[in-house]
Amino acid sequence: RRGVRLLLSAMAIVAAGSIRDAVVPVNGQIVIAKVIPLSVTFDHRCVTGGEATQFLAAMVGDLGRTD
């Protein structure tokens, strides 16, 4: 019997690039800040694009915390 087999541990993959200095706007000023490229790929059978966007936004928020 053929069917869809989902590996729950493989529903999404997050990739991170190298941290580098970049020129970015902060509060109307141009500053040099550390940036890291992030991407996420996911199984559309399990996760919607909106959910993946919310997850990545939360991850970015957590990475930006200083406490």
Side-chain angles (χ1 to χ4, degrees), residues 5-59:
R5 183 173 178 213
L6 299 177
L7 300 174
L8 296 179
S9 62
M11 291 186 334
I13 299 170
V14 176
S18 298
I19 297 172
R20 62 181 174 79
D21 290 329
V23 177
V24 296
V26 175
N27 298 326
Q29 301 292 320
I30 296 175
V31 299
I32 297 176
K34 301 280 186 199
V35 296
I36 183 169
L38 295 174
S39 63
V40 62
T41 185
F42 55 93
D43 187 335
H44 285 274
R45 297 171 295 179
C46 305
V47 180
T48 67
E51 291 167 332
T53 300
Q54 289 174 345
F55 168 78
L56 194 55
M59 183 180 207

